[in-house]
Amino acid sequence: GDSVTQMEGPVTLSEEAFLTINCTYTATGYPSLFWYVQYPGEGLQLLLKATKADDKGSNKGFEATYRKETTSFHLEKGSVQVSDSAVYFCALTVSGGATNKLIFGTGTLLAVQP
Amino acid sequence: DTGVSQNPRHKITKRGQNVTFRCDPISEHNRLYWYRQTLGQGPEFLTYFQNEAQLEKSRLLSDRFSAERPKGSFSTLEIQRTEQGDSAMYLCASSLSGGLVEQYFGPGTRLTVT
């Protein structure tokens, strides 16, 4: 079945460091890919998305490129801030499906220290 | 628009009791989803409504679980004869119809079964 695998955390970085969180997927159809973020005490929020191969999603300085050849959608940010501390979830949905239900990875906790 | 709301935010119950959670989606959203998130895992899909019709149920949704969405507005998720394994965060999300649209998540209801 469809699944998402993302790197285990926690990831601990100093402010202004470069961030990469790896995400790979397995899908029977042609998926759309997402990164969601969960700040402490808040609900999941969509961070960025990409719907076809080679698309780059970006938001708030974060970027991820849909790589069909490596079935990957790695999250990157050039300079993290303390306010980026949160749990990040990679997810997919199979385009054309009736429900658009999301399939999530296990999440990666990011802790940014000043 | 106040976003997706869920009540209660926390529920502690004894094994064998019944519990009911409520989700109020964004008012114009006709799609509604329930997910379950256990500690250290990503959210897992439980069920989906298009207006008042429940169109898909996950195998995770045992016979003890029932969800409704009367009149296509708010939704309830009831768990009968709770078990310790039901302890989790129950998330509700809503979206518009049509193509690949963003799901907006509520803050969740944390259930603890003692």
Side-chain angles (χ1 to χ4, degrees):
Chain A
D2 300 340
S3 65
V4 174
T5 302
Q6 57 182 110
M7 64 187 287
E8 292 187 13
V11 174
T12 303
L13 297 174
S14 297
E15 208 164 21
E16 299 183 1
F18 184 86
L19 168 70
T20 300
I21 300 178
N22 290 338
C23 171
T24 57
Y25 67 88
T26 301
T28 51
Y30 196 99
S32 294
L33 303 173
F34 306 83
W35 278 99
Y36 278 80
V37 59
Q38 189 170 36
Y39 298 104
E42 298 184 18
L44 282 164
Q45 301 173 26
L46 179 64
L47 181 60
L48 53 85
K49 68 181 180 183
T51 59
K52 61 183 187 295
D54 299 325
D55 265 2
K56 177 184 284 188
S58 61
N59 186 25
K60 300 182 181 180
F62 291 89
E63 293 183 338
T65 301
Y66 188 143
R67 302 287 188 199
K68 189 177 180 184
E69 64 276 13
T70 54
T71 62
S72 65
F73 192 55
H74 304 321
L75 183 68
E76 297 182 335
K77 186 176 186 182
S79 176
V80 294
Q81 305 300 311
V82 172
S83 57
D84 294 326
S85 299
V87 181
Y88 292 81
F89 293 92
C90 186
L92 67 81
T93 187
V94 176
S95 298
T99 67
N100 279 343
K101 63 185 176 187
L102 290 162
I103 297 170
F104 288 88
T106 54
T108 301
L109 173 63
L110 170 65
V112 181
Q113 299 175 338
Chain B
D1 181 1
T2 58
V4 179
S5 62
Q6 293 187 245
N7 288 288
R9 294 290 304 274
H10 303 274
K11 178 71 177 178
I12 300 174
T13 191
K14 292 185 177 180
R15 189 177 54 186
Q17 297 296 304
N18 298 345
V19 294
T20 300
F21 312 140
R22 177 178 170 125
C23 170
D24 287 272
I26 294 171
S27 58
E28 64 269 27
H29 287 185
N30 50 7
R31 290 184 171 184
L32 188 145
Y33 303 80
W34 285 97
Y35 294 84
R36 181 172 69 186
Q37 184 178 14
T38 53
L39 200 60
Q41 300 298 315
E44 295 174 292
F45 170 77
L46 291 178
T47 191
Y48 158 69
F49 289 85
Q50 172 89 23
N51 298 312
E52 67 276 8
Q54 187 175 20
L55 298 184
E56 184 170 344
K57 292 165 54 173
S58 162
R59 287 172 296 176
L60 293 175
L61 216 62
S62 76
D63 291 344
R64 295 184 298 105
F65 288 71
S66 62
E68 296 182 342
R69 193 183 181 197
K71 303 178 183 178
S73 55
F74 71 92
S75 176
T76 58
L77 178 67
E78 180 183 16
I79 309 174
Q80 296 182 327
R81 304 180 304 282
T82 52
E83 302 173 356
Q84 287 188 319
D86 297 331
S87 295
M89 178 76 85
Y90 290 84
L91 301 172
C92 177
S94 70
S95 76
L96 295 168
S97 287
L100 186 63
V101 292
E102 179 178 351
Q103 292 183 30
Y104 292 81
F105 282 81
T109 294
R110 180 168 295 285
L111 172 66
T112 302
V113 181
T114 61

